[in-house]
Every structure is written in C-alpha cells, then in structure tokens.
Amino acid sequence: MARKYQLGVTRKAANVVVTALLERGIPVNGRTGYLLTTRGRKSGVDRTTPVNVLEVGGDRWLVSPYGQVGWVHNLRADATARLRRGRTRETWSVEEADAAAAGPVLRAYVRKIPVTAPFFDAKLSDPAEAFAAEADRHPVFRLARSRG
C-alpha cells in the first residue's frame, strides 16, 4: 500500500532549503529542480513550490508524486506554469496527460527520483501499465507551449 503524503515539519524545512538553492540557480536533483509558480485557484495569489521537470519522449513533464496537491488544482484552474531556477524563467501552457500517456512518465519519474517510490503502489520493476493505473492519484502535465 502506497504511503500517503503529509506536509510535515521535515518536508517544510527541506522545501525552504531547496527553494533557497533554486532561487540562487543551484541545481537540485541533477538539473530537474525548478520553482513552479501557479495562480491560486481561489485566492488569485501566486503560489510557489519546488518541483522536478522530467524529459520523457522528447517532451517536458510536471509530475505530482504526492497526489492531488495545491499546485495540481491550480494548474487545472489556470493551465499556466511559470518555472524558475536562478535567473532562468520560463512560462508554459500545460496539458494534463491521460492515463496512457502518464504511465511511462510516472515510471520514468520514480526511476529518476526514487525517494518518491513509497508513494506509488507500482514498483520500479513494473511496466508502464502498472503506473498508468495510478495516474488518477499522481497527475501528470505536459509542458505544451512556451509563452516566452
């Protein structure tokens, strides 16, 4: 049974450290770490959180390994993702992937960032179809078009 994500004291502290590093342009998790800013779906206030952007099949993807978190809801309400690392800033339109497209991306994500594996029922050795079965619990978004 997959673990349920809870934003506790340790994770909050880690996010503060990772955010500070990314703001200074220092890579985290290789070159996959970015700060994602979305517009709050209810408040309209910008919300920023550290995320990993993964390249699979020639596309760039945002994965929510911890499930239906705030930034997922915000992207569903406003499909604009602003990514930042140091001085590099990108704005993208996003498209949520269906289960068939999400499966290989989720599998690649867990392989690239194995610390997220406990939050999945599928195991590293499982085929993409096993990860596709979890796509409703781990939303995946394709970075579709750069907005400059």
Side-chain angles (χ1 to χ4, degrees), residues 10 16 18 21-22 30-31 38-39 56 61 66-68 92 97 99 105 110 112 117 148:
T10 303
V16 168
V18 169
L21 292 171
L22 291 171
R31 304 282 306 160
T38 58
R39 183 173 315 282
V56 177
W61 303 87
Y66 307 121
Q68 308 285 336
W92 293 83
V105 175
V110 171
K112 177 83 174 172

Side-chain angles (χ1 to χ4, degrees), residues 8-79:
V9 174
T10 303
R11 175 60 70 174
K12 285 180 183 178
N15 282 350
V16 168
V17 171
V18 169
T19 297
L21 292 171
L22 291 171
E23 284 175 341
R24 287 160 184 74
I26 300 169
V28 179
N29 283 337
R31 304 282 306 160
T32 64
Y34 286 87
L35 293 175
L36 168 67
T37 300
T38 58
R39 183 173 315 282
R41 67 194 175 283
K42 294 179 182 177
S43 68
V45 174
D46 284 349
R47 304 289 183 193
T48 301
T49 190
V51 296
N52 290 294
V53 176
L54 195 66
E55 281 197 38
V56 177
D59 287 317
R60 295 174 73 197
W61 303 87
L62 282 171
V63 173
S64 181
Y66 307 121
Q68 308 285 336
V69 294
W71 66 260
V72 169
H73 298 293
N74 293 344
L75 281 180
R76 286 176 175 158
D78 177 4

